[in-house]
Amino acid sequence: MTITIYHNPACGTSRNVLALIRNSGEDPCIIEYLKTPPSRAELVSLIARMGVPVRSVLREKGTPFHELGLDNPALSDDALIDAMMAHPILINRPIVVTPLGAALCRPSETVLDILPNPQRGAFVKEDGEKIVDESGKRII
């Protein structure tokens, strides 16, 4: 089975999602998208698979979002994708693709909805929030 995570190791949410994937017994394909950004076609395909508006994949915090005027509602999807291609930090993360679908996994427990295998034990996020109990059941 192939699970892919578009990952930023500096992001706590991304690290939590990766750990949840591994807690299900999977060893995912990890794409550090800041080092190896998706092509334009891949990004467009990911957004389509997630079934979300392009704007919902834009990250504001810690990015040039405001400096580039990306809060302008008149900007087209193509213009937003152009910005993400020029500045991959604008791509919100983590994005996970599994045989059950693709999702922007914010909050991190969102990944549980698309993981094919159950959790193999308890899971606690880096901030101490319990997400999965000892029997592998989602707490939230």
Side-chain angles (χ1 to χ4, degrees), residues 80-97:
L80 299 175
I81 291 170
D82 288 343
M84 287 187 269
M85 295 308 303
H87 306 277
I89 192 70
L90 288 165
I91 302 170
N92 212 343
R93 79 279 177 158
I95 295 173
V96 177
V97 179

Side-chain angles (χ1 to χ4, degrees), residues 5 24 82 88 97 101 115 122 134 138:
I5 179 172
S24 75
D82 288 343
V97 179
L115 288 178
E134 295 75 21
R138 188 176 188 165

Side-chain angles (χ1 to χ4, degrees), residues 58-134:
L58 277 172
R59 181 169 177 81
E60 292 183 42
K61 185 179 173 185
T63 73
F65 178 89
H66 293 289
E67 293 87 345
L68 295 172
L70 298 177
D71 53 347
N72 180 349
L75 289 174
S76 68
D77 287 352
D78 281 337
L80 299 175
I81 291 170
D82 288 343
M84 287 187 269
M85 295 308 303
H87 306 277
I89 192 70
L90 288 165
I91 302 170
N92 212 343
R93 79 279 177 158
I95 295 173
V96 177
V97 179
T98 78
L100 299 181
L104 174 60
C105 295
R106 300 188 75 81
S108 53
E109 54 272 19
T110 303
V111 75
L112 297 172
D113 298 332
I114 61 169
L115 288 178
N117 296 326
Q119 295 290 288
R120 293 184 168 185
F123 185 83
V124 178
K125 289 164 79 169
E126 289 180 3
D127 67 3
E129 182 182 0
K130 295 178 182 178
I131 300 298
V132 177
D133 68 18
E134 295 75 21

